Coordinates of all heavy atoms in Angstrom, one line a residue:
M41 N -11.2 5.2 -11.0 CA -12.4 6.0 -11.1 C -13.4 5.5 -10.0 O -13.4 4.4 -9.6 CB -13.0 5.9 -12.4 CG -12.2 6.5 -13.6 SD -12.3 8.3 -13.6 CE -10.7 8.7 -13.1
S42 N -14.2 6.4 -9.6 CA -15.1 6.2 -8.5 C -16.2 5.2 -9.0 O -16.7 5.4 -10.1 CB -15.7 7.5 -8.0 OG -16.8 7.2 -7.1
P43 N -16.7 4.3 -8.2 CA -17.8 3.4 -8.6 C -19.1 4.2 -8.8 O -20.0 3.7 -9.5 CB -17.9 2.5 -7.5 CG -16.8 2.6 -6.6 CD -16.1 3.9 -6.9
K44 N -19.2 5.4 -8.3 CA -20.4 6.2 -8.5 C -20.5 6.7 -9.9 O -21.6 6.9 -10.3 CB -20.4 7.4 -7.5 CG -20.5 7.0 -6.0 CD -20.8 8.2 -5.2 CE -19.5 9.0 -5.0 NZ -19.6 10.1 -4.1
L45 N -19.4 6.8 -10.6 CA -19.5 7.3 -11.9 C -20.0 6.3 -12.9 O -19.7 5.1 -12.8 CB -18.1 7.7 -12.4 CG -17.4 8.9 -11.7 CD1 -16.0 9.1 -12.3 CD2 -18.2 10.2 -11.9
K46 N -20.8 6.7 -13.8 CA -21.3 5.8 -14.8 C -20.2 5.6 -15.9 O -19.1 6.1 -15.8 CB -22.6 6.4 -15.4 CG -23.7 6.7 -14.4 CD -24.6 5.5 -14.3 CE -25.8 5.9 -13.5 NZ -26.0 5.4 -12.3
H47 N -20.5 4.8 -16.9 CA -19.6 4.5 -17.9 C -19.0 5.8 -18.6 O -17.8 6.0 -18.8 CB -20.2 3.6 -18.9 CG -19.3 3.2 -20.0 ND1 -18.2 2.4 -19.9 CD2 -19.3 3.6 -21.3 CE1 -17.5 2.3 -21.0 NE2 -18.2 3.0 -21.9
K48 N -20.0 6.7 -19.0 CA -19.5 7.9 -19.7 C -18.7 8.8 -18.7 O -17.7 9.4 -19.2 CB -20.7 8.7 -20.1 CG -21.4 8.0 -21.3 CD -22.6 8.9 -21.8 CE -23.3 8.2 -22.9 NZ -24.5 8.9 -23.4
G49 N -19.0 8.9 -17.5 CA -18.3 9.7 -16.5 C -16.9 9.1 -16.4 O -15.9 9.9 -16.3
A50 N -16.8 7.8 -16.3 CA -15.4 7.2 -16.2 C -14.6 7.4 -17.4 O -13.4 7.7 -17.3 CB -15.6 5.7 -15.9
T51 N -15.2 7.4 -18.6 CA -14.5 7.6 -19.8 C -14.0 9.0 -19.9 O -12.9 9.3 -20.3 CB -15.5 7.4 -21.0 OG1 -16.0 6.0 -20.9 CG2 -14.7 7.5 -22.3
V52 N -14.8 10.0 -19.5 CA -14.4 11.4 -19.5 C -13.3 11.6 -18.5 O -12.3 12.3 -18.7 CB -15.6 12.3 -19.1 CG1 -15.1 13.7 -18.9 CG2 -16.6 12.3 -20.3
G53 N -13.3 10.9 -17.3 CA -12.3 11.1 -16.3 C -11.0 10.5 -16.8 O -9.9 11.1 -16.6
V54 N -11.0 9.4 -17.5 CA -9.8 8.8 -18.0 C -9.2 9.7 -19.1 O -8.0 9.9 -19.2 CB -10.0 7.4 -18.5 CG1 -8.8 6.8 -19.3 CG2 -10.3 6.4 -17.4
A55 N -10.1 10.2 -20.0 CA -9.7 11.1 -21.1 C -9.0 12.4 -20.5 O -8.0 12.8 -21.0 CB -10.9 11.5 -21.9
H56 N -9.6 12.9 -19.4 CA -9.0 14.1 -18.8 C -7.6 13.8 -18.3 O -6.7 14.6 -18.4 CB -10.0 14.6 -17.7 CG -9.4 15.7 -16.9 ND1 -9.3 17.0 -17.4 CD2 -8.8 15.7 -15.6 CE1 -8.8 17.7 -16.4 NE2 -8.5 17.0 -15.4
A57 N -7.5 12.6 -17.6 CA -6.2 12.3 -17.1 C -5.1 12.1 -18.2 O -4.0 12.6 -18.0 CB -6.3 11.0 -16.3
L58 N -5.5 11.5 -19.3 CA -4.6 11.4 -20.5 C -4.2 12.8 -21.0 O -3.1 13.0 -21.3 CB -5.3 10.5 -21.5 CG -5.3 9.0 -21.3 CD1 -6.1 8.3 -22.4 CD2 -3.9 8.5 -21.3
V59 N -5.2 13.6 -21.2 CA -4.9 15.0 -21.7 C -4.0 15.7 -20.8 O -3.0 16.4 -21.3 CB -6.3 15.8 -22.0 CG1 -6.0 17.2 -22.2 CG2 -7.0 15.2 -23.1
Y60 N -4.2 15.6 -19.5 CA -3.4 16.3 -18.6 C -1.9 15.8 -18.6 O -1.0 16.5 -18.7 CB -3.9 16.1 -17.2 CG -3.2 16.8 -16.1 CD1 -3.4 18.2 -15.9 CD2 -2.4 16.1 -15.2 CE1 -2.8 18.8 -14.9 CE2 -1.7 16.8 -14.2 CZ -1.9 18.1 -14.0 OH -1.2 18.8 -13.0
A61 N -1.8 14.4 -18.7 CA -0.4 13.8 -18.8 C 0.3 14.2 -20.1 O 1.5 14.6 -20.1 CB -0.5 12.3 -18.7
I62 N -0.5 14.2 -21.2 CA 0.1 14.6 -22.5 C 0.5 16.0 -22.5 O 1.6 16.4 -23.0 CB -0.8 14.2 -23.7 CG1 -1.0 12.7 -23.8 CG2 -0.3 14.8 -25.0 CD1 -2.1 12.3 -24.7
Y63 N -0.3 16.9 -22.0 CA -0.1 18.3 -22.0 C 1.2 18.6 -21.2 O 2.1 19.3 -21.6 CB -1.3 19.1 -21.4 CG -1.0 20.5 -21.2 CD1 -1.1 21.4 -22.2 CD2 -0.6 21.0 -19.9 CE1 -0.8 22.8 -22.1 CE2 -0.4 22.4 -19.7 CZ -0.5 23.3 -20.8 OH -0.3 24.6 -20.6
N64 N 1.3 18.0 -20.0 CA 2.5 18.3 -19.1 C 3.8 17.7 -19.8 O 4.8 18.3 -19.7 CB 2.3 17.7 -17.8 CG 1.4 18.5 -16.9 OD1 1.3 19.7 -17.0 ND2 0.6 17.9 -16.0
T65 N 3.6 16.6 -20.5 CA 4.8 16.0 -21.1 C 5.3 17.0 -22.3 O 6.5 17.2 -22.4 CB 4.5 14.7 -21.7 OG1 4.0 13.8 -20.6 CG2 5.7 14.0 -22.3
L66 N 4.4 17.5 -23.0 CA 4.7 18.3 -24.2 C 5.2 19.7 -23.7 O 6.2 20.3 -24.2 CB 3.6 18.5 -25.1 CG 3.2 17.2 -25.9 CD1 1.9 17.4 -26.7 CD2 4.3 16.7 -26.7
V67 N 4.5 20.3 -22.7 CA 4.9 21.7 -22.3 C 6.2 21.7 -21.6 O 7.1 22.6 -21.9 CB 3.8 22.2 -21.4 CG1 4.2 23.5 -20.7 CG2 2.5 22.5 -22.2
Y68 N 6.5 20.8 -20.7 CA 7.7 20.8 -19.9 C 8.8 20.0 -20.6 O 9.9 20.0 -20.0 CB 7.4 20.3 -18.5 CG 6.5 21.2 -17.8 CD1 5.2 20.8 -17.4 CD2 6.8 22.5 -17.4 CE1 4.3 21.6 -16.8 CE2 5.9 23.3 -16.8 CZ 4.6 22.9 -16.5 OH 3.8 23.7 -15.8
E69 N 8.6 19.4 -21.7 CA 9.6 18.7 -22.5 C 10.3 17.7 -21.6 O 11.6 17.6 -21.7 CB 10.5 19.6 -23.2 CG 9.8 20.5 -24.2 CD 10.8 21.5 -24.8 OE1 12.0 21.6 -24.4 OE2 10.3 22.3 -25.7
R70 N 9.6 17.0 -20.8 CA 10.2 15.9 -20.0 C 9.6 14.6 -20.4 O 8.4 14.6 -20.8 CB 9.9 16.2 -18.5 CG 10.7 17.3 -17.9 CD 10.5 17.4 -16.4 NE 10.0 18.7 -16.2 CZ 9.1 19.0 -15.2 NH1 8.7 18.1 -14.4 NH2 8.8 20.3 -15.0
P71 N 10.3 13.5 -20.2 CA 9.7 12.2 -20.5 C 8.6 11.9 -19.5 O 8.6 12.4 -18.4 CB 10.8 11.2 -20.4 CG 11.9 11.9 -19.6 CD 11.7 13.4 -19.8
Y72 N 7.6 11.1 -20.0 CA 6.4 10.8 -19.2 C 6.9 10.0 -18.0 O 7.6 9.0 -18.1 CB 5.4 10.1 -20.0 CG 4.3 9.5 -19.2 CD1 3.3 10.4 -18.6 CD2 4.1 8.2 -18.9 CE1 2.3 10.0 -17.9 CE2 3.1 7.7 -18.1 CZ 2.2 8.6 -17.6 OH 1.1 8.1 -16.8
Q73 N 6.4 10.4 -16.8 CA 6.6 9.6 -15.6 C 5.3 9.2 -15.1 O 4.5 10.0 -14.7 CB 7.3 10.5 -14.5 CG 8.7 11.0 -14.9 CD 9.7 9.9 -14.7 OE1 9.6 9.1 -13.8 NE2 10.8 9.9 -15.4
P74 N 5.0 7.9 -15.0 CA 3.7 7.4 -14.5 C 3.6 7.8 -13.0 O 4.6 7.9 -12.3 CB 3.7 5.9 -14.7 CG 5.2 5.5 -14.9 CD 5.9 6.7 -15.4
P75 N 2.4 8.0 -12.6 CA 2.2 8.4 -11.2 C 2.7 7.2 -10.3 O 2.5 6.1 -10.6 CB 0.7 8.6 -11.1 CG 0.1 8.0 -12.3 CD 1.1 8.0 -13.3
R76 N 3.3 7.6 -9.2 CA 3.7 6.6 -8.2 C 2.6 6.1 -7.4 O 1.7 6.8 -6.9 CB 4.8 7.2 -7.3 CG 6.1 7.5 -7.9 CD 7.1 7.8 -6.9 NE 6.9 9.1 -6.3 CZ 7.4 9.5 -5.2 NH1 8.3 8.8 -4.6 NH2 7.1 10.7 -4.7
V77 N 2.5 4.8 -7.3 CA 1.5 4.1 -6.5 C 2.1 3.9 -5.1 O 3.1 3.2 -5.0 CB 1.0 2.8 -7.1 CG1 0.0 2.1 -6.2 CG2 0.5 3.0 -8.5
E78 N 1.6 4.6 -4.2 CA 2.2 4.5 -2.8 C 1.5 3.5 -2.0 O 0.3 3.5 -2.0 CB 2.2 5.9 -2.2 CG 3.0 6.9 -2.9 CD 3.2 8.2 -2.2 OE1 2.9 8.2 -1.0 OE2 3.5 9.2 -2.9
G79 N 2.2 2.7 -1.3 CA 1.7 1.7 -0.4 C 1.4 2.3 0.9 O 1.2 3.5 1.0
L80 N 1.5 1.5 1.9 CA 1.3 2.0 3.3 C 2.5 2.9 3.7 O 3.6 2.6 3.3 CB 1.2 0.9 4.2 CG -0.1 0.0 4.1 CD1 0.0 -1.2 5.0 CD2 -1.3 0.8 4.4
D81 N 2.2 4.0 4.4 CA 3.3 4.7 4.9 C 4.0 3.9 6.0 O 3.5 3.0 6.5 CB 2.8 6.1 5.5 CG 2.3 7.0 4.4 OD1 2.8 6.8 3.2 OD2 1.4 7.8 4.7
Q82 N 5.2 4.4 6.4 CA 5.9 3.6 7.4 C 5.3 3.6 8.8 O 5.2 2.6 9.4 CB 7.4 4.3 7.6 CG 8.3 3.4 8.3 CD 8.6 2.1 7.7 OE1 8.4 1.9 6.5 NE2 9.0 1.1 8.5
Q83 N 4.7 4.7 9.2 CA 4.1 4.8 10.5 C 2.8 3.8 10.6 O 2.8 3.1 11.6 CB 3.7 6.2 10.9 CG 3.2 6.3 12.3 CD 2.9 7.8 12.6 OE1 3.1 8.7 11.8 NE2 2.5 8.1 13.9
P84 N 1.9 3.9 9.7 CA 0.8 3.0 9.8 C 1.2 1.5 9.6 O 0.7 0.6 10.3 CB -0.1 3.3 8.6 CG 0.2 4.7 8.3 CD 1.6 4.9 8.6
T85 N 2.3 1.2 8.9 CA 2.8 -0.1 8.7 C 3.3 -0.6 10.1 O 3.0 -1.7 10.5 CB 3.9 -0.2 7.7 OG1 3.4 0.3 6.5 CG2 4.4 -1.6 7.5
Q86 N 4.1 0.2 10.8 CA 4.6 -0.2 12.1 C 3.5 -0.4 13.1 O 3.5 -1.3 13.9 CB 5.6 0.9 12.6 CG 6.8 1.0 11.8 CD 7.6 -0.3 11.9 OE1 7.7 -1.0 12.9 NE2 8.3 -0.6 10.8
R87 N 2.4 0.4 13.0 CA 1.3 0.3 13.9 C 0.6 -1.0 13.6 O 0.2 -1.8 14.6 CB 0.3 1.5 13.7 CG -0.8 1.5 14.7 CD -1.7 2.7 14.5 NE -2.3 2.7 13.2 CZ -3.3 2.0 12.7 NH1 -3.9 1.1 13.6 NH2 -3.8 2.1 11.5
L88 N 0.4 -1.4 12.4 CA -0.3 -2.6 12.0 C 0.6 -3.8 12.5 O 0.0 -4.8 13.0 CB -0.5 -2.7 10.5 CG -1.6 -1.9 10.0 CD1 -1.6 -1.9 8.5 CD2 -3.0 -2.4 10.5
I89 N 1.9 -3.7 12.3 CA 2.8 -4.8 12.8 C 2.6 -5.0 14.3 O 2.5 -6.1 14.8 CB 4.2 -4.6 12.3 CG1 4.3 -4.7 10.8 CG2 5.2 -5.5 13.0 CD1 5.7 -4.3 10.2
R90 N 2.7 -3.9 15.0 CA 2.5 -4.0 16.5 C 1.2 -4.6 16.8 O 1.1 -5.4 17.7 CB 2.7 -2.6 17.0 CG 3.8 -2.4 17.9 CD 3.9 -1.0 18.7 NE 2.9 0.0 18.2 CZ 3.2 1.0 17.4 NH1 4.4 1.0 16.8 NH2 2.3 1.9 17.1
H91 N 0.1 -4.1 16.2 CA -1.2 -4.6 16.5 C -1.3 -6.1 16.3 O -1.8 -6.9 17.2 CB -2.2 -3.9 15.6 CG -3.6 -4.5 15.7 ND1 -4.4 -4.4 16.8 CD2 -4.2 -5.3 14.8 CE1 -5.5 -5.1 16.5 NE2 -5.4 -5.7 15.3
H92 N -0.8 -6.6 15.1 CA -1.0 -8.0 14.8 C 0.0 -8.9 15.6 O -0.4 -10.0 15.9 CB -0.8 -8.2 13.3 CG -2.0 -7.7 12.5 ND1 -3.3 -8.2 12.7 CD2 -2.1 -6.7 11.7 CE1 -4.1 -7.5 11.9 NE2 -3.4 -6.6 11.3
T93 N 1.1 -8.3 16.0 CA 2.0 -9.1 16.9 C 1.3 -9.3 18.3 O 1.4 -10.4 18.8 CB 3.3 -8.3 17.1 OG1 3.9 -8.0 15.8 CG2 4.3 -9.1 17.9
Q94 N 0.7 -8.2 18.8 CA 0.0 -8.4 20.1 C -1.2 -9.3 19.9 O -1.4 -10.1 20.9 CB -0.5 -7.0 20.5 CG 0.6 -6.1 20.9 CD 0.1 -4.7 21.2 OE1 -1.1 -4.3 21.0 NE2 1.0 -3.8 21.6
R95 N -1.9 -9.3 18.8 CA -3.0 -10.3 18.6 C -2.4 -11.7 18.6 O -3.1 -12.6 19.1 CB -3.7 -10.0 17.3 CG -4.5 -8.7 17.3 CD -5.8 -8.8 18.1 NE -6.6 -9.8 17.4 CZ -7.4 -10.6 18.1 NH1 -7.5 -10.6 19.4 NH2 -8.2 -11.5 17.4
L96 N -1.3 -11.9 18.0 CA -0.7 -13.3 17.9 C -0.3 -13.7 19.3 O -0.5 -14.9 19.7 CB 0.5 -13.3 17.0 CG 0.2 -13.3 15.5 CD1 1.4 -13.1 14.7 CD2 -0.5 -14.6 15.1
K97 N 0.2 -12.8 20.1 CA 0.6 -13.2 21.5 C -0.7 -13.6 22.3 O -0.7 -14.6 23.0 CB 1.2 -12.0 22.2 CG 2.6 -11.7 21.8 CD 3.2 -10.5 22.5 CE 4.6 -10.2 22.0 NZ 5.1 -9.0 22.7
K98 N -1.8 -12.9 22.1 CA -3.0 -13.2 22.8 C -3.6 -14.6 22.3 O -4.1 -15.4 23.0 CB -4.1 -12.1 22.6 CG -3.8 -10.9 23.4 CD -4.8 -9.8 23.1 CE -4.5 -8.6 23.8 NZ -5.5 -7.5 23.6
L99 N -3.5 -14.8 21.0 CA -3.9 -16.1 20.4 C -3.1 -17.3 20.9 O -3.7 -18.3 21.2 CB -3.9 -16.1 18.9 CG -4.9 -15.2 18.2 CD1 -4.6 -15.2 16.7 CD2 -6.3 -15.8 18.4
Q100 N -1.9 -17.1 21.2 CA -1.0 -18.2 21.7 C -1.5 -18.6 23.1 O -1.2 -19.7 23.5 CB 0.4 -17.8 21.7 CG 1.1 -17.9 20.3 CD 2.5 -17.5 20.3 OE1 3.0 -16.9 21.2 NE2 3.2 -17.8 19.2
A101 N -2.1 -17.7 23.8 CA -2.5 -18.0 25.1 C -3.6 -19.0 25.1 O -3.7 -19.9 26.1 CB -3.0 -16.7 25.8
W102 N -4.5 -19.1 24.1 CA -5.6 -20.0 24.2 C -5.6 -21.0 23.0 O -6.4 -22.0 23.0 CB -6.9 -19.4 24.3 CG -7.3 -18.4 23.2 CD1 -7.0 -17.1 23.1 CD2 -8.1 -18.7 22.0 NE1 -7.5 -16.6 21.9 CE2 -8.2 -17.5 21.2 CE3 -8.7 -19.9 21.5 CZ2 -8.8 -17.5 20.0 CZ3 -9.4 -19.8 20.3 CH2 -9.4 -18.6 19.6
L103 N -4.7 -20.9 22.0 CA -4.6 -21.9 20.9 C -3.4 -22.8 21.2 O -2.3 -22.3 21.3 CB -4.4 -21.2 19.6 CG -5.6 -20.5 19.0 CD1 -5.2 -19.8 17.7 CD2 -6.7 -21.5 18.7
P104 N -3.6 -24.1 21.4 CA -2.5 -24.9 21.7 C -1.5 -25.1 20.6 O -0.3 -25.2 20.8 CB -3.2 -26.3 22.0 CG -4.5 -26.2 21.3 CD -4.9 -24.8 21.3
K105 N -1.9 -25.0 19.3 CA -0.9 -25.1 18.2 C -0.8 -23.9 17.4 O -0.7 -23.9 16.2 CB -1.4 -26.3 17.3 CG -1.4 -27.6 18.0 CD -1.8 -28.7 17.0 CE -1.8 -30.0 17.7 NZ -2.2 -31.1 16.8
A106 N -0.7 -22.7 18.0 CA -0.5 -21.5 17.4 C 0.9 -21.4 16.8 O 1.8 -22.0 17.4 CB -0.8 -20.3 18.3
P107 N 1.1 -20.7 15.7 CA 2.4 -20.6 15.1 C 3.3 -19.8 16.1 O 2.9 -19.0 16.9 CB 2.3 -19.8 13.8 CG 0.9 -19.2 14.0 CD 0.1 -20.0 14.9
L108 N 4.6 -20.2 16.1 CA 5.5 -19.5 17.0 C 5.6 -18.0 16.6 O 5.6 -17.7 15.4 CB 6.9 -20.1 16.9 CG 7.0 -21.5 17.4 CD1 8.4 -22.1 17.2 CD2 6.7 -21.5 18.9
L109 N 5.7 -17.2 17.6 CA 5.8 -15.7 17.3 C 7.0 -15.4 16.6 O 7.1 -14.5 15.8 CB 5.7 -15.0 18.7 CG 5.6 -13.5 18.5 CD1 4.4 -13.1 17.8 CD2 5.5 -12.8 19.9
T110 N 8.1 -16.1 16.8 CA 9.4 -15.8 16.2 C 9.2 -16.0 14.7 O 9.8 -15.2 13.9 CB 10.5 -16.6 16.7 OG1 10.2 -18.0 16.6 CG2 10.8 -16.3 18.1
H111 N 8.5 -17.0 14.3 CA 8.3 -17.3 12.8 C 7.5 -16.1 12.2 O 7.8 -15.7 11.1 CB 7.6 -18.6 12.6 CG 7.2 -18.9 11.2 ND1 8.2 -19.2 10.3 CD2 6.1 -18.9 10.5 CE1 7.6 -19.3 9.1 NE2 6.3 -19.2 9.2
C112 N 6.5 -15.6 12.9 CA 5.7 -14.6 12.4 C 6.5 -13.3 12.2 O 6.3 -12.5 11.3 CB 4.5 -14.3 13.3 SG 3.3 -15.7 13.3
T113 N 7.3 -13.0 13.2 CA 8.1 -11.8 13.1 C 9.1 -11.9 12.0 O 9.4 -10.9 11.3 CB 8.9 -11.5 14.4 OG1 9.6 -12.6 14.8 CG2 7.9 -11.1 15.5
K114 N 9.6 -13.1 11.7 CA 10.5 -13.2 10.5 C 9.8 -12.9 9.2 O 10.3 -12.2 8.4 CB 11.1 -14.7 10.5 CG 12.1 -15.0 11.5 CD 12.6 -16.4 11.4 CE 13.5 -16.8 12.6 NZ 13.9 -18.2 12.5
V115 N 8.6 -13.4 9.1 CA 7.8 -13.1 7.9 C 7.5 -11.6 7.8 O 7.6 -11.0 6.7 CB 6.4 -13.9 8.0 CG1 5.5 -13.5 6.9 CG2 6.7 -15.4 7.9
L116 N 7.2 -11.0 8.9 CA 6.9 -9.5 8.9 C 8.2 -8.8 8.5 O 8.1 -7.8 7.8 CB 6.4 -9.1 10.3 CG 5.0 -9.5 10.6 CD1 4.7 -9.2 12.1 CD2 4.0 -9.0 9.7
R117 N 9.3 -9.2 9.0 CA 10.6 -8.5 8.6 C 10.8 -8.7 7.1 O 11.3 -7.7 6.4 CB 11.8 -9.1 9.4 CG 11.8 -8.6 10.8 CD 13.1 -9.0 11.5 NE 12.9 -8.8 12.9 CZ 13.2 -9.7 13.9 NH1 13.7 -10.9 13.6 NH2 13.0 -9.3 15.1
K118 N 10.5 -9.8 6.5 CA 10.7 -10.0 5.1 C 9.8 -9.1 4.3 O 10.1 -8.5 3.3 CB 10.4 -11.5 4.7 CG 11.5 -12.4 5.1 CD 11.2 -13.8 4.7 CE 12.3 -14.8 5.1 NZ 11.9 -16.2 4.7
L119 N 8.5 -9.0 4.8 CA 7.6 -8.1 4.2 C 8.1 -6.6 4.2 O 7.9 -5.8 3.3 CB 6.2 -8.2 4.8 CG 5.4 -9.4 4.6 CD1 4.2 -9.5 5.4 CD2 5.1 -9.6 3.1
E120 N 8.7 -6.2 5.3 CA 9.2 -4.9 5.5 C 10.3 -4.6 4.5 O 10.4 -3.6 3.8 CB 9.8 -4.6 6.9 CG 8.7 -4.4 7.9 CD 9.3 -4.3 9.3 OE1 10.5 -4.6 9.5 OE2 8.6 -3.8 10.2
T121 N 11.2 -5.6 4.3 CA 12.3 -5.4 3.3 C 11.7 -5.3 1.9 O 12.3 -4.6 1.1 CB 13.3 -6.5 3.4 OG1 12.7 -7.8 3.2 CG2 14.0 -6.6 4.8
I122 N 10.7 -6.1 1.6 CA 10.1 -6.0 0.3 C 9.5 -4.6 0.1 O 9.6 -4.1 -1.0 CB 9.0 -7.1 0.1 CG1 9.7 -8.5 0.1 CG2 8.2 -6.9 -1.1 CD1 8.8 -9.7 0.1
E123 N 8.8 -4.1 1.1 CA 8.2 -2.8 1.0 C 9.2 -1.7 0.8 O 9.0 -0.7 0.0 CB 7.3 -2.5 2.2 CG 6.0 -3.2 2.3 CD 5.2 -2.8 3.5 OE1 5.8 -2.1 4.3 OE2 4.1 -3.3 3.6
Q124 N 10.4 -1.8 1.4 CA 11.4 -0.8 1.3 C 12.1 -0.8 0.0 O 12.6 0.2 -0.5 CB 12.4 -1.0 2.4 CG 11.8 -0.7 3.8 CD 12.8 -1.0 4.9 OE1 13.9 -1.5 4.7 NE2 12.4 -0.7 6.1
A125 N 12.1 -2.0 -0.7 CA 12.8 -2.1 -2.0 C 12.1 -1.4 -3.1 O 11.1 -0.8 -3.1 CB 13.0 -3.5 -2.3

């Protein structure tokens, strides 16, 4: 719920969402499916990875003990596989 809503407004909003979910479950006789929480889309994720990889390259130019870029890309690949699962 939006932070702009006061307590009563938030309560009404949650009640409305519950009524909507119950109504659709009963009318269409399908089991309840909770709404999917979507993370970052693939394109913005790739853009962020590119951006931060370039930032790390620039940081290595003036930081003597910067982490190796290969280690960072391994971590980013692990994060990608987690997001895809």
Side-chain angles (χ1 to χ4, degrees):
M41 294 283 109
S42 173
K44 291 190 283 185
L45 294 176
K46 303 268 192 250
H47 179 71
K48 288 182 182 178
T51 305
V52 170
V54 171
H56 174 75
L58 282 172
V59 168
Y60 185 76
I62 292 168
Y63 174 80
N64 283 328
T65 303
L66 293 174
V67 168
Y68 297 113
E69 297 177 358
R70 287 187 237 148
Y72 173 70
Q73 296 280 333
R76 288 192 289 168
V77 177
E78 297 188 17
L80 295 174
D81 293 336
Q82 191 63 21
Q83 186 176 1
T85 303
Q86 292 298 325
R87 185 180 60 79
L88 285 171
I89 290 171
R90 243 188 348 266
H91 167 74
H92 290 295
T93 305
Q94 291 172 356
R95 291 284 297 143
L96 285 171
K97 285 179 185 177
K98 288 179 184 178
L99 285 173
Q100 283 181 344
W102 60 274
L103 285 177
K105 294 184 181 181
L108 293 175
L109 186 59
T110 55
H111 176 69
C112 294
T113 53
K114 287 179 187 176
V115 172
L116 290 174
R117 285 187 191 133
K118 286 182 183 178
L119 288 174
E120 285 177 343
T121 57
I122 292 171
E123 285 181 354
Q124 292 173 357

